Amino acid sequence: MLKGKTKSGFKYEISDESLNDYELVELLSEVDENPLLLPKLIKALLGEEQKNNLIEHIRTESGRVPMDALADEVAEIFREGRQTKNS
């Protein structure tokens, strides 16, 4: 289980089963060339409930969900996971 909190304060828990999923790795390999896969990647990584929590966490006062903020949060989760794994 990978638990953490991003700099913006989003708390997450990712199961070992999710991290050990071939389809997640496949999405990771394809998302740079096809950014439209990002929602599917986030759902595969965090699950539906945490995905929705993340979206609400970064939603602006105007009701928008900035893609750059979403991508930054996901990148930070992966960086933290990599650092934790290497510790």
Side-chain angles (χ1 to χ4, degrees):
M1 174 81 58
L2 175 64
K3 296 180 183 183
K5 185 167 107 175
T6 64
K7 292 176 189 170
S8 71
F10 176 69
K11 294 180 183 178
Y12 58 88
E13 290 185 9
I14 303 170
S15 70
D16 292 334
E17 184 178 57
S18 292
L19 293 171
N20 191 34
D21 181 16
Y22 169 78
E23 291 178 334
L24 176 67
V25 174
E26 190 172 56
L27 286 167
L28 279 168
S29 72
E30 296 174 359
V31 77
D32 281 342
E33 292 186 22
N34 185 357
L36 295 175
L37 291 172
L38 186 60
K40 194 171 183 177
L41 171 78
I42 294 169
K43 185 176 178 181
L45 179 66
L46 298 175
E48 186 71 28
E49 183 178 343
Q50 286 190 102
K51 177 198 78 155
N52 292 337
N53 292 343
L54 175 58
I55 288 169
E56 291 308 313
H57 176 76
I58 62 171
R59 188 178 299 280
T60 65
E61 288 182 18
S62 65
R64 303 276 184 185
V65 180
M67 279 299 299
D68 57 345
L70 184 61
D72 289 347
E73 293 287 317
V74 173
E76 186 177 341
I77 290 170
F78 276 108
R79 277 194 305 275
E80 288 299 314
R82 195 172 338 136
Q83 289 175 359
T84 302
K85 187 176 179 181
N86 292 335
S87 296

